[in-house]
Amino acid sequence: MIILLGMHRSGTSALAGMLHSGGVHLGESFMSPLPENPKGFFEDLQLQNVNKQILASIDKDWDKIPSLQDLQRVPESVLKLMPQVYDYFQFRFSSWAWKDPRLCLTFPLWINILPIDQVKVLFVVRHPMSVARSLRTQNKMPIAQGLELWRVYNLRITELLEYYRLPYTFVVYESLIENPRMVQSILEDRLKIKMKDAWRFIDFKLNRSEINNSTLPKDIQETYDYLLKEWDNSQCYFSSEATKNLQQGEEHFATGDLESAKKCFIQMLESDPDHIEALNNLGVIDFHKGVVDKATSYFRRALEIDGDYTDAVENLARCLEAKGDFLEAVELYQRALKLGRVNTEILNSMGKCFIHLQELNAAFEAYKKSFQMDENEAHFKSFLQKLEIFIQSQQKKNVHSGKQFLSGPEKLERLLEKDKYRIQILSFSDFETDDERRLRWGDYWVKVEMQQEFDRLGHIIVDKDPDILIHLFGTPVKGLPEAAYKIIWIHSHPDMVSPEILSQYDQIYCLSPSFLKKINAWGLEGELLVGGTSKAPLKRELDYDIVFVGNAKGPSGRKIIRDLGKPSYNFKVWGEGWANLLPPENYSGLYYKNEGLAELYASSRIVLNDHHEDMRREGFLNPRILDVFASGGFVISDDIKGLDDLLGEALVTYKSAEELKDLINFYIEYPEERESIITKGQARAQQFTFSRMVEQILTHFDSDQKLLANFIK
C-alpha cells in the first residue's frame, strides 16, 4: 500500500493522478474536480470524510494543526470508522494508495491499524512560496500564514517518517512537472510496479509553480534546503542504466542534439531489443530528420511488441499521413482515440485526412468534436463553418413580409469571395455628444484600436453600407443594416443582453466565459473573445505607490477606494467626481490621457481596478487589467467570477477591505513577489492583443485554408 503525504497545494493531486493512470487504485468515489484542480483531486471521499471527522472531533482542521496530545482525545466513535476504510481498500484492490493532505496530521492514528511493514510513502514537496501563493489565491490566506503551514506540515511528515522508520520516496513537484517520465521511472523502481505511460497524465500547462529568488523567512528557507537535499539523494539512488540512457537521450533530443540522442536509444536496444520507448524515440528522431520510411519501421516494430502503445500508434499515423497514406492514418488515429488519446491534435489530423479522402461529412464530425473540446480554437470553428456551408451547398432564403433576406451562412458564403471588407464598428461612445468627453470612454479607444488594426490589414473602415458591422455592445441599437454580416461583441452591460437582442446578429462574441454558457443555454451559439491591449512593457522609475484611474460614479465614490481607506502610501486618483471626495494630495485630475496610461501603470507599484456589479457578477474582465499587464504594471482588483483559466495567478483579487490592505502592505513590502506577478501578467497579456482579437474575427471570413479551397475547386 502507498501513502501520499504532502502539504495542501503541493502537487499530491498531480502525483495521485499519475498513479491512478498507471493502474494504482485510489478509491472508487472521488471528490469532484474544481478550477484549481481541473483534472481532479483523486481523494477517496470515504477516507477524506473520516479524516475530517477526526479533526473536527477535537476542534481542529487542515489549517488548525493538532498536536499528538490532541489526537489522543479523538472519541472512540470516530476511531471505529478507521478500520472500515482500510478493509474497504484491502479487500477490493491488490495495488492501492491513499491521498488526502490531512493524512499528514492524522497519520499517527492510522498507523495503529495499518500493516507497517507494507506501507510505502511518497513524500511530495513544492516550493514554499508557490504553495503560499496558491493558498492566498484559493483560500485568501495571508502569505505568512501559508508559509508557516508549509513548514509545519513538512516538518510533521519528516518526523513521522523518522519515528516510524517508514520507507519513502521523495518527489519535488517542480521536477514532476518538468520531467514526469523520470519521476515515473523512479516510482516504478522504488514501488516495484509498472505504470505504462502514466507520465502522460501530467499536463505541463497546469504548472503554476515557479522556483524563484523570493526572499523566504530563514526557518522556511532552511527547511526547504534540507528537503531539496533529500530529492538530490533520491535521484542519485536511482541508477537504472536503461533509464539513465532514456533520460540522457531525451535531454539531448530536447536540446536538438539528435545524434547524441540516437546513440543513447541505440545503446538501450543493444541491451533490450524490445524496449518500446527506445524504438519509439528512434522513430521520432528519424521522422524529424525526414527519414520517414525508417521512422515508420521503428513505430511498427514497437507496435508488434505492444499493440496498445499509444505513442507509437499516434506517431505511426503521423508518418503515414506525411507519406500520403491517409486511409491507414485515419484508422490509426481512430485507434489512438479508442486507447484514450483524445485531443484536438488527433481530431484535427483526422479531419485533414478525411478531406484528402474526399469524405467531407466525416471531416466535419472530426472537426466538430475538436471544437467541442476547445471552443477557443477560432481557426477550427471557422474551418468547421466553411465545411458546413459547402456540405449543405445551398441555403434556402428566408422570406419576411414578401422581401428576401440573406441568411447568415449565405452572407458568409458571399464574403468568402472577397479579399477585403468594408467594416463599420459601432460603440456606445458614438452617442456621446461632447467630443472631449468621448475621449474618456473606454470603448472609444477599443474601437480606435480595432479600426487601426483592420486598416493595417488593408480593410476599409466605413460609416455606412458595410460588408461587416461589428457592434461593441453597450446598449441595444435599432435599425442595423440588413445586408451587412452583423457581429456583436458583448464586452459590458450583460444585464441589458437578451435572446431577442442577440437574434438580430449573424455572429455572437462574448468576453465572459461564464456568460457565454448562459448564451448557449438560450439556444444560441457564441464564441469567446476576451478583448485586447496594444500597450507594450515599459521600464520606468516608480513614482507612485498606488494609483486608480476611473470616475467616482456616485456621491460616495467607488467601493475599492472606500475599502482602501486612508493609506499611508503615495496614492493618486484621476477621474470625474473625485474632487470633493478625496483630499487634494490624493486627487490628481479629471482625466489621464490614453497615450500616457502605459507609462503611469509602469511607474506605479500598485494599480487598483474594479468592475461594475453586473460585470463582476457575470465574469466580464475590465480591459484596464490587460493594459496594466501589458505595460509591466501590477494590479489588484475586486473579486470577479470565473477568470482563473484566463488569467491564472497573474490577477490578484480581494474580497474585503481588510484583505485589500493586507495585500497592498505585502506587495509593497515584498517587491520581488510583485515582480513575479508582473512577469505572469505580461505573459498573459501577449495572448490578448488587438491584433489577435482582429485575427480571430477575420478567421471567420478568411478563405486561405488551402486544403478546403483546393478540394472545392
Side-chain angles (χ1 to χ4, degrees):
M1 60 174 298
I2 303 165
I3 305 293
L4 277 74
L5 295 179
M7 168 64 185
H8 295 264
R9 314 303 304 151
S10 287
T12 53
S13 296
L15 187 59
M18 193 167 98
L19 289 172
H20 182 71
S21 297
V24 178
H25 293 278
L26 285 102
E28 294 178 323
S29 179
F30 297 138
M31 64 179 292
S32 301
L34 293 173
E36 64 265 27
N37 262 23
K39 301 187 82 171
F41 291 84
F42 301 95
E43 292 181 18
D44 180 78
L45 290 176
Q46 188 179 0
L47 171 67
Q48 184 193 88
N49 181 55
V50 172
N51 278 326
K52 285 182 175 180
Q53 288 192 55
I54 290 172
L55 296 173
S57 71
I58 52 176
D59 195 28
K60 299 295 180 181
D61 207 338
W62 70 272
D63 57 348
K64 293 172 64 178
I65 311 296
S67 66
L68 291 176
Q69 290 76 18
D70 290 328
L71 293 177
Q72 294 174 8
R73 296 189 290 106
V74 176
E76 189 64 27
S77 59
V78 175
L79 296 175
K80 287 180 179 179
L81 301 174
M82 299 171 68
Q84 299 174 21
V85 180
Y86 171 71
D87 291 342
Y88 171 81
F89 277 82
Q90 184 66 13
F91 294 126
R92 280 171 174 77
F93 312 120
S94 57
S95 175
W96 53 276
W98 280 353
K99 181 262 176 178
D100 177 5
R102 296 170 189 82
L103 283 168
C104 302
L105 310 179
T106 63
F107 192 76
L109 296 178
W110 288 104
I111 203 68
N112 296 323
I113 64 169
L114 299 177
I116 194 167
D117 58 327
Q118 298 178 27
V119 173
K120 296 179 180 179
V121 173
L122 298 181
F123 182 3
V124 189
V125 170
R126 184 182 183 187
H127 190 279
M129 190 58 76
S130 296
V131 171
R133 287 177 185 159
S134 184
L135 290 172
R136 181 198 63 215
T137 301
Q138 304 302 332
N139 302 87
K140 303 304 178 184
M141 180 179 289
I143 290 288
Q145 183 183 351
L147 289 173
E148 179 59 18
L149 267 181
W150 178 94
R151 186 185 71 85
V152 172
Y153 263 74
N154 284 289
L155 288 179
R156 178 67 61 87
I157 297 169
T158 57
E159 291 168 358
L160 290 172
L161 296 175
E162 290 176 9
Y163 183 81
Y164 295 108
R165 299 189 177 183
L166 296 170
Y168 68 95
T169 300
F170 195 85
V171 177
V172 169
Y173 171 74
E174 288 78 10
S175 296
L176 173 65
I177 296 298
E178 291 169 7
N179 197 342
R181 294 182 79 157
M182 180 194 74
V183 173
Q184 177 178 324
S185 297
I186 292 176
L187 297 182
E188 289 179 328
D189 183 78
R190 291 287 188 88
L191 302 176
K192 307 305 178 189
I193 58 176
K194 286 293 182 184
M195 299 167 59
K196 267 199 164 182
D197 54 355
W199 62 274
R200 285 192 171 278
F201 173 84
I202 302 300
D203 187 347
F204 300 91
K205 292 183 291 186
L206 292 180
N207 183 19
R208 302 186 179 98
S209 181
E210 290 183 3
I211 296 180
N212 50 48
N213 295 321
S214 300
T215 302
L216 294 170
K218 183 179 178 182
D219 55 346
I220 306 295
Q221 187 66 57
E222 288 176 350
T223 304
Y224 186 54
D225 290 343
Y226 168 78
L227 295 172
L228 287 184
K229 289 179 182 177
E230 286 289 307
W231 173 236
D232 292 338
N233 293 336
S234 292
Q235 295 178 87
C236 293
Y237 166 89
F238 187 70
S239 59
S240 166
E241 198 62 37
T243 305
K244 281 185 177 180
N245 278 325
L246 179 64
Q247 183 181 344
Q248 290 172 2
E250 290 179 344
E251 288 173 355
H252 288 311
F253 183 84
T255 60
D257 187 355
L258 300 186
E259 289 305 317
S260 296
K262 189 171 183 177
K263 288 178 182 177
C264 291
F265 300 137
I266 288 174
Q267 286 178 8
M268 293 176 66
L269 289 184
E270 289 173 354
S271 59
D272 182 3
D274 292 338
H275 200 294
I276 57 174
E277 287 186 279
L279 290 167
N280 180 72
N281 291 348
L282 286 168
V284 172
I285 289 173
D286 281 332
F287 184 79
H288 275 265
K289 294 168 70 175
V291 191
V292 181
D293 287 336
K294 195 169 182 181
T296 300
S297 67
Y298 275 124
F299 296 136
R300 290 196 189 279
R301 277 181 59 192
L303 290 176
E304 288 172 4
I305 299 165
D306 183 353
D308 292 339
Y309 183 37
T310 47
D311 281 4
V313 172
E314 181 180 351
N315 288 332
L316 178 57
R318 299 203 183 282
C319 276
L320 295 172
E321 182 185 347
K323 293 172 67 175
D325 190 346
F326 301 112
L327 184 58
E328 188 180 357
V330 162
E331 292 173 351
L332 285 163
Y333 283 133
Q334 291 172 330
R335 188 168 153 196
L337 292 174
K338 289 180 180 178
L339 290 169
R341 184 68 58 80
V342 182
N343 57 52
T344 57
E345 290 82 3
I346 286 181
L347 290 167
N348 294 334
S349 295
M350 279 179 61
K352 186 175 179 182
C353 289
F354 277 129
I355 289 179
H356 279 293
L357 294 169
Q358 300 189 13
E359 296 183 25
L360 283 189
N361 284 319
F364 178 81
E365 289 302 319
Y367 282 116
K368 183 178 179 180
K369 289 178 182 176
S370 173
F371 178 68
Q372 288 170 345
M373 291 182 65
D374 186 358
E375 295 186 2
N376 296 326
E377 194 64 60
H379 172 78
F380 286 108
K381 181 176 183 181
S382 173
F383 198 80
L384 188 67
Q385 290 169 326
K386 294 178 187 180
L387 271 174
E388 188 172 24
I389 291 168
F390 286 107
I391 290 171
Q392 294 174 350
S393 177
Q394 186 80 34
Q395 296 284 343
K396 291 182 180 180
K397 293 186 176 181
N398 298 322
V399 179
H400 180 66
S401 301
K403 183 178 179 181
Q404 289 186 334
F405 294 93
L406 292 174
S407 67
E410 287 173 318
K411 295 176 188 175
L412 184 58
E413 187 170 4
R414 185 189 63 185
L415 287 170
L416 290 175
E417 300 171 359
K418 297 189 175 187
D419 292 326
K420 303 299 178 186
Y421 312 120
R422 291 168 54 83
I423 298 175
Q424 179 182 3
I425 302 178
L426 297 179
S427 69
F428 195 23
S429 58
D430 294 343
F431 301 98
E432 173 60 65
T433 56
D434 185 331
D435 290 343
E436 182 180 349
R437 196 167 187 274
R438 187 182 298 118
L439 300 179
R440 303 174 201 166
W441 287 78
D443 69 346
Y444 170 81
W445 294 105
V446 173
K447 175 178 177 175
V448 168
E449 295 284 0
M450 291 180 68
Q451 287 177 330
Q452 291 175 349
E453 193 60 33
F454 281 120
D455 180 69
R456 184 183 68 81
L457 296 172
H459 300 288
I460 304 163
I461 305 301
V462 298
D463 292 327
K464 62 181 180 178
D465 301 326
D467 297 320
I468 301 169
L469 181 137
I470 302 173
H471 180 195
L472 311 182
F473 183 81
T475 188
V477 176
K478 296 181 179 179
L480 297 173
E482 181 57 43
Y485 190 88
K486 294 182 283 296
I487 296 173
I488 184 171
W489 181 43
I490 309 163
H491 70 103
S492 67
H493 296 83
D495 283 355
M496 299 178 69
V497 177
S498 70
E500 292 73 26
I501 290 173
L502 297 183
S503 65
Q504 303 176 64
Y505 297 87
D506 301 302
Q507 173 68 15
I508 301 168
Y509 291 106
C510 180
L511 185 152
S512 164
S514 57
F515 197 77
L516 185 58
K517 294 178 182 177
K518 183 178 291 189
I519 292 172
N520 294 336
W522 290 340
L524 299 169
E525 291 189 6
E527 184 174 322
L528 185 68
L529 183 64
V530 173
T533 178
S534 62
K535 302 289 190 287
L538 295 173
K539 283 293 182 183
R540 293 290 185 270
E541 294 293 325
L542 293 174
D543 297 326
Y544 309 103
D545 291 326
I546 308 168
V547 299
F548 179 81
V549 180
N551 298 335
K553 293 188 181 296
S556 59
R558 304 277 271 264
K559 181 177 183 300
I560 193 169
I561 303 303
R562 298 197 304 271
D563 288 343
L564 180 65
K566 298 180 179 180
S568 58
Y569 300 108
N570 180 6
F571 166 52
K572 301 292 182 183
V573 173
W574 289 262
E576 291 183 11
W578 292 108
N580 297 321
L581 296 176
L582 294 173
E585 62 269 21
N586 297 135
Y587 178 61
S588 290
L590 189 66
Y591 173 63
Y592 205 102
K593 290 185 177 181
N594 183 72
E595 55 268 27
L597 284 174
E599 186 168 351
L600 174 66
Y601 297 151
S603 61
S604 305
R605 288 179 172 84
I606 295 173
V607 179
L608 297 181
N609 173 80
D610 65 355
H611 298 81
H612 292 286
E613 176 53 30
D614 61 338
M615 294 179 66
R616 188 196 66 79
R617 173 182 11 99
E618 299 291 353
F620 281 80
L621 176 74
N622 187 332
R624 178 189 294 122
I625 291 173
L626 296 178
D627 285 342
V628 177
F629 284 175
S631 304
F634 174 86
V635 62
I636 296 179
S637 175
D638 55 352
D639 192 48
I640 181 169
K641 175 184 176 183
L643 293 184
D644 286 347
D645 290 342
L646 289 178
L647 301 181
E649 293 186 352
L651 179 61
V652 177
T653 63
Y654 82 98
K655 289 185 176 179
S656 67
E658 182 182 0
E659 184 181 10
L660 174 62
K661 294 166 187 173
D662 287 343
L663 288 170
I664 288 172
N665 291 335
F666 174 79
Y667 282 109
I668 288 181
E669 183 179 352
Y670 292 96
E672 68 277 4
E673 290 301 311
R674 197 171 65 245
E675 288 298 322
S676 174
I677 300 290
I678 288 172
T679 300
K680 293 177 182 178
Q682 288 177 327
R684 293 284 179 170
Q686 290 174 7
Q687 302 173 31
F688 305 115
T689 62
F690 282 110
S691 61
R692 289 198 176 191
M693 184 180 178
V694 166
E695 178 186 347
Q696 181 176 342
I697 294 173
L698 289 176
T699 55
H700 202 61
F701 310 102
D702 288 346
S703 55
D704 62 351
Q705 293 150 353
K706 297 180 181 177
L707 185 60
L708 180 58
N710 289 337
F711 175 81
I712 293 165
K713 291 177 182 178

